[in-house]
Every structure is written in C-alpha cells, then in structure tokens.
Amino acid sequence: MYEGPVQNLIDELGKLPGIGPKSAQRIAFYLLQAEPEDIERLQNSLGEILGGVNYCEVCGTVSAEKRCQICSDPRRDLSLVCVVEEPRDIQAIERTKEYSGVYHVLGGSLDPINGIGPDQLRISQLLRRVAGSTPETQSTSGDDGGAPEPIEVAEVIIATDPNTTGEATASYLVRLLRDFPGLTISRLASGLPMGGDLEFADEITLGHALSGRRVLSKSAAG
C-alpha cells in the first residue's frame, strides 16, 4: 500500500475493466514519470468525455460528427445492416475487411435480470430503419434536386455476442423482423465460441463467421 494521491490513483485505475492491481500500479508509476504535456493531454481527453460524447444519429456508435464515418461513406451498402451490441463490436468486424454494409448499435443486450428490456435498447430505431420511415434510410444523392430516394434494407445481420443474453436478443429480433416483406435475416455463422464476446474474436475467425452467416428468416417480397 502506498500513501496519498499515488494510492488513490492506483485504486481508481484498478476499477477499470481488464486492469488488475499490478497493472494499475505500473500505470500509476508510468504516469508519475510522464512528461507534463502527456498528462495534460490525458486530462483534456477525460474532460471531453465528462462534457459529453456524440453518437451517430444513424447507427448509434460513438462519433465526432452527427454521422459517423461509416454512415457517411457513399461506398457502403446501405441495404445491408449489421446489428451489434456495442460500438467496439464495429471495430472487430471492420478488421475482417469482409463487410461493406452499415451498422446498428443496440447499446447492449436483453437482460431482464438486470433490468434491461427492449425499451432500454435501440430496437425501435432498428425497426424504423428497416421500415424505411427515417431520413437515415434515404440516399442523399439525387440529380433532380428533389426528395431523396428511400434505401430499402434487404438484409439484417444479427451479430450479437454468442452468449445467453446475446442469443436471447437475436431470437427477439428475429420475431420482430421476420414479417417485413422481402427482408433476409441472418446470424453470424459458427466459428465464434459459445459464451464468448465478439470484441475478443480474432479477425480470421470473425471473417469466416461473417462470410458464412446463416439465414434465420427470409420473407417473401411484397
């Protein structure tokens, strides 16, 4: 045990996920020896988080602007929507370089024991995207300067974590989405370990799971 501010810093660092007592101690003493400008940059970054974080108005991921880089990229396939639990899962899928569509972040998974139900997740926003009733499902291009053309969502890929709550969330989403005419609903293929978290999967395993996803429901075209 150390005294004063050093021990306080170690205690706070130790509360972070994945940081044990020894790691917290090493980080604390690294910061003690860091240059003042490095400490100031860290303080500024933490202060910006306290001031509030922006989320993409379309997919719900962390973003510097109203729309994230992926949703603003004209090269992305807007008809293909991959549903993930957390923003960090997007980065895991992007590393595979196997996916060219867009994303939808739920903000977690269904967990009734801990009070997380459909109203606590971005499920209603997903349904609106699929229904084509929101501006984010419309193309911003148009030669005639008129109203933008709606983008029809052709497939929803459910990429929730392969654990109990993730599977429950996937099943719930299938029940909500399967009645949309012409919509294909798929789930990441096997290769992801049951009980694991998507963010910890390596890019090869995740890439194979993405390219070999299985169809859960496919409605007839209206």
Side-chain angles (χ1 to χ4, degrees):
M1 291 288 291
Y2 298 91
E3 296 181 358
V6 173
Q7 186 59 48
N8 293 338
L9 178 59
I10 293 173
D11 291 340
E12 293 304 317
L13 290 171
K15 296 177 182 178
L16 299 176
I19 303 295
K22 290 185 178 180
S23 295
Q25 187 177 118
R26 285 195 296 269
I27 295 172
F29 279 96
Y30 168 81
L31 293 174
L32 285 176
Q33 299 173 15
E35 296 295 330
E37 54 267 27
D38 294 334
I39 299 296
E40 185 176 355
R41 282 195 295 270
L42 178 59
Q43 288 177 323
N44 291 338
S45 297
L46 293 173
E48 290 174 355
I49 291 178
L50 288 174
V53 176
N54 293 325
Y55 293 92
C56 177
E57 65 178 2
V58 180
C59 69
T61 193
V62 176
S63 176
E65 306 294 337
K66 289 182 64 177
R67 294 196 179 194
C68 69
Q69 292 181 351
I70 293 176
C71 290
S72 301
D73 189 344
R75 297 169 297 179
R76 306 297 292 218
D77 184 358
L78 301 182
S79 70
L80 189 59
V81 178
C82 183
V83 180
V84 297
E85 293 182 19
E86 302 290 350
R88 59 179 178 265
D89 296 330
I90 293 178
Q91 301 306 315
I93 293 177
E94 286 295 289
R95 288 197 300 267
T96 70
K97 302 186 185 301
E98 293 280 346
Y99 183 65
S100 59
V102 292
Y103 296 91
H104 187 89
V105 179
L106 293 175
S109 58
L110 293 174
D111 189 0
I113 295 177
N114 291 310
I116 302 177
D119 292 340
Q120 282 70 52
L121 304 178
R122 299 183 68 253
I123 292 177
S124 60
Q125 291 89 331
L126 173 63
L127 298 179
R128 289 198 295 269
R129 287 184 74 176
V130 175
S133 61
T134 54
E136 58 263 30
T137 59
Q138 297 179 339
S139 170
T140 56
S141 62
D143 296 333
D144 58 359
E149 292 292 329
I151 300 296
E152 182 178 352
V153 176
E155 181 179 357
V156 172
I157 304 171
I158 300 177
T160 52
D161 289 337
N163 53 29
T164 303
T165 59
E167 290 296 330
T169 304
S171 297
Y172 181 76
L173 292 177
V174 170
R175 292 198 300 271
L176 294 178
L177 295 168
R178 62 189 175 192
D179 292 331
F180 281 90
L183 179 67
T184 297
I185 308 167
S186 59
R187 182 86 164 104
L188 291 189
S190 59
L192 294 173
M194 190 64 185
D197 287 339
L198 199 66
E199 64 174 308
F200 298 123
D202 65 271
E203 50 264 38
I204 295 177
T205 299
L206 191 54
H208 288 167
L210 187 64
S211 60
R213 61 188 181 272
R214 67 184 190 272
V215 174
L216 301 179
S217 175
K218 187 172 183 179
S219 302

